[in-house]
Amino acid sequence: MKYIDEYRDPQIAQALVQKMAKQVTRPWVLMEICGGQTHTLMRYGIDELIPKQVELVHGPGCPVCVTALEVVDKAIEIASRPDVIFVSYGDMLRVPGSSSDLFRVKGQGGDVRIAYTPMEAVKIARANPDRKVVFFAIGFETTAPANAMTVWQARREGLRNFSMLVSHVLVPPAIRVLLDSPANRVQGFIAPGHVCTVMGYRDYEELAARYHVPIVVGGFEPVDLLEAISMLVAQLEEGRAEVENQYVRAVSRDGNLPAQRIVEQVFETAGRKWRGIGNIPMSGWRLRPEFAAFDAEKVFGLSEIEVPEPPECISALVLQGLKKPFECTAFGVRCTPENPLGAPMVSAEGACAAYYRYRRHTVAS
Amino acid sequence: MCLAVPGKILEVEQQVDNRVGIIQFGGITRQAYLDFVPEANVGDYVIVHVGFAISRVDAEEARRTYDLLEQMGLLEGEGLKAGVEGDQ
Ligand code: SF4
């Protein structure tokens, strides 16, 4: 398919690997933020193809994985009510809450539905005026415009039975937390291409300058990622720390302005708790007060809760690139995609699931 | 869920509040909202995420990047194995 197949060309991939082999003189640790990129890297074995000196660690860029346990528990509570139709992206259904998951709620008779687009939830609300329809609005900057447009649409139509449980997270504050950590090993970042499609990459220029760390905006096909890695290695070897854009065909420096505008009108920045990482100030978006009537937390009067993670799950370390999934004692034993203990084992974009699926049980480090 | 894929716009129509396109992804077609890509039209490629196009794929940039990469592939494609293994 156009814009996919040509970026999977094995000959070009090999040339990029060869170029990299000539570039590298020292070991480097690079992190891809986005779970979609983690998935491509594992699927095509890019981590094993590149020179041994270049180590890839995987970042916290899987929205399913970082949605706080408390939020999952709230979703489960709402979805269990008999007057509710709970609509979610499919990946969230199997994410373990502290005692259940949405899939089980559905099995026990809860009306839990999967939607491909959030606009589907508005349609469901329109068709079911006597039920309360709640959409589980999670995601990074990439997903926010669609979710924002959905609330906007609901308000324009004057829907009274529609609300959203919002748990949006933002990439740049998470990168800052990783770089501020004394345990940080990451020397260069592949910035998430689709997040930058929406937001552009000005925020990353500030990070690159402040922390003297090279950042390359990368696409999602094997050749995109190899090229992004090669660009990072070149910067590191030359001692540069700039933002470069590998994914030029889809990303501009300013991003998508109409998409940013709707996000700005609907959401405001707020602190957010990340599963496994903890509270990060100004790292999320919540609904603006004007949209309070569509805010599920307010509609259902949910109180703040605090629940502990399963002790065996080391997802916090995995999501910060400090440990590889196979270093977790539960990996592949008590935690599998069929029976996930922690969130990174659920979504295909989660690092644990990607390692399990592509059999990286023992990768030499 | 973060998946976003390029597809080709086959048709565009204005539904009540939204600009909607029929998009072809390989063998299948699907509807997507085009509100965030007002500049995109029939024949263009867009990147679609959860039912919304978030970017028009710049055909010239896509071709340029690819040509550049291909050139490199053709020039340096041979003797690859030796190069990579020799380095380790
Ligand atoms: S393998 Fe499972 S338990 Fe271990 S860190 Fe990953 S998700 Fe958590």
Side-chain angles (χ1 to χ4, degrees):
Chain A
M1 202 176 102
K2 199 159 164 55
Y3 300 130
I4 291 186
D5 288 345
E6 60 258 59
Y7 289 92
R8 291 185 183 167
D9 187 327
Q11 207 182 10
I12 293 175
Q14 290 191 342
L16 280 164
V17 171
Q18 196 190 28
K19 182 177 164 207
M20 226 181 292
K22 288 188 194 144
Q23 286 174 319
V24 187
T25 64
R26 270 179 289 166
W28 299 111
V29 180
L30 310 180
M31 174 183 272
E32 85 284 356
I33 296 291
C34 172
Q37 293 172 331
T38 308
H39 186 85
T40 303
L41 292 170
M42 290 300 129
R43 174 161 177 205
Y44 293 93
I46 291 172
D47 55 326
E48 291 174 342
L49 201 66
I50 58 175
K52 285 269 179 288
Q53 296 101 310
V54 182
E55 184 188 349
L56 298 176
V57 295
H58 320 296
C62 158
V64 173
C65 306
V66 300
T67 300
L69 192 50
E70 287 82 356
V71 176
V72 178
D73 279 355
K74 282 180 188 172
I76 290 168
E77 190 185 325
I78 296 174
S80 306
R81 299 188 187 209
D83 56 338
V84 165
I85 300 176
F86 195 84
V87 187
S88 170
Y89 296 120
D91 282 4
M92 284 312 287
L93 261 61
R94 304 196 49 248
V95 173
S98 52
S99 58
S100 184
D101 58 48
L102 288 166
F103 196 68
R104 240 184 276 173
V105 172
K106 188 175 162 69
Q108 288 155 0
D111 196 342
V112 179
R113 305 187 191 179
I114 294 172
Y116 157 69
T117 168
M119 294 290 262
E120 191 64 35
V122 168
K123 272 191 205 152
I124 295 173
R126 219 181 278 139
N128 297 274
D130 52 333
R131 308 275 298 280
K132 290 180 184 155
V133 175
V134 182
F135 182 72
F136 198 0
I138 63 146
F140 280 96
E141 292 93 323
T142 322
T143 317
N147 290 346
M149 183 63 107
T150 301
V151 185
W152 189 260
Q153 177 86 20
R155 189 173 72 166
R156 190 161 45 191
E157 288 184 28
L159 287 176
R160 285 164 178 274
N161 62 329
F162 178 81
S163 63
M164 264 188 183
L165 180 61
V166 178
S167 187
H168 265 292
V169 279
L170 305 173
V171 171
I175 295 186
R176 210 167 295 133
V177 166
L178 294 174
L179 287 169
D180 278 333
S181 159
N184 175 54
R185 298 171 56 225
V186 181
Q187 294 159 297
F189 288 92
I190 302 176
H194 290 140
V195 165
C196 295
T197 293
V198 172
M199 299 305 291
Y201 51 83
R202 285 176 188 274
D203 288 350
Y204 298 83
E205 292 172 346
E206 197 190 303
L207 287 170
R210 178 153 165 226
Y211 293 94
H212 198 75
V213 64
I215 302 177
V216 172
V217 180
F220 294 79
E221 295 303 327
V223 165
D224 287 325
L225 287 161
L226 281 169
E227 196 185 20
I229 294 167
S230 164
M231 288 163 81
L232 281 172
V233 169
Q235 284 205 45
L236 287 164
E237 290 284 343
E238 292 162 25
R240 288 184 292 127
E242 296 159 15
V243 174
E244 293 177 315
N245 183 10
Q246 182 277 325
Y247 200 31
V248 185
R249 63 186 187 279
V251 173
S252 67
R253 183 164 181 251
D254 287 328
N256 185 322
L257 298 176
Q260 288 171 27
R261 221 167 290 134
I262 186 105
V263 166
E264 172 71 30
Q265 281 166 329
V266 172
F267 294 127
E268 61 184 14
T269 350
R272 175 88 52 221
K273 182 172 180 185
W274 294 52
R275 188 166 196 168
I277 299 180
N279 283 308
I280 307 180
M282 308 297 270
S283 69
W285 276 325
R286 66 173 176 218
L287 287 168
R288 288 188 174 279
E290 304 94 279
F291 289 89
F294 300 93
D295 189 337
E297 305 225 18
K298 303 213 164 73
V299 171
F300 294 92
L302 297 180
S303 50
E304 283 312 313
I305 40 173
E306 189 86 31
V307 274
E309 291 282 345
E312 202 176 6
C313 179
I314 59 161
S315 72
L317 299 172
V318 173
L319 293 172
Q320 296 176 75
L322 299 175
K323 285 250 196 273
K324 294 275 162 66
F326 53 79
E327 293 176 73
C328 171
T329 52
F331 178 80
V333 188
R334 282 167 301 283
C335 182
T336 60
E338 292 72 44
N339 251 318
L341 199 63
M345 192 54 102
V346 176
S347 159
E349 291 147 24
C352 297
Y355 269 66
Y356 187 84
R357 180 144 174 219
Y358 298 111
R359 312 222 164 273
R360 297 306 154 73
H361 292 212
T362 45
V363 178
S365 56
Chain B
M1 67 148 291
C2 257
L3 199 67
V5 278
K8 187 179 184 178
I9 304 180
L10 298 182
E11 281 169 46
V12 178
E13 64 169 90
Q14 188 68 36
Q15 289 180 1
V16 194
D17 296 312
N18 303 93
R19 191 162 170 260
V20 178
I22 304 293
I23 319 287
Q24 183 177 16
F25 303 95
I28 60 161
T29 57
R30 230 172 177 169
Q31 188 183 287
Y33 295 95
L34 300 177
D35 302 281
F36 304 138
V37 287
E39 74 283 11
N41 272 307
V42 171
D44 285 339
Y45 282 78
V46 285
I47 292 184
V48 177
H49 172 67
V50 298
F52 284 78
I54 51 171
S55 173
R56 185 171 72 95
V57 180
D58 188 322
E60 214 160 284
E61 272 306 333
R63 204 177 313 119
R64 214 178 50 144
T65 313
Y66 185 70
D67 287 349
L68 215 87
L69 290 166
E70 194 173 41
Q71 243 172 24
M72 195 166 67
L74 292 175
L75 293 176
E76 301 181 29
E78 281 169 7
L80 166 85
K81 276 251 141 99
V84 174
E85 281 163 10
D87 191 71
Q88 286 165 12

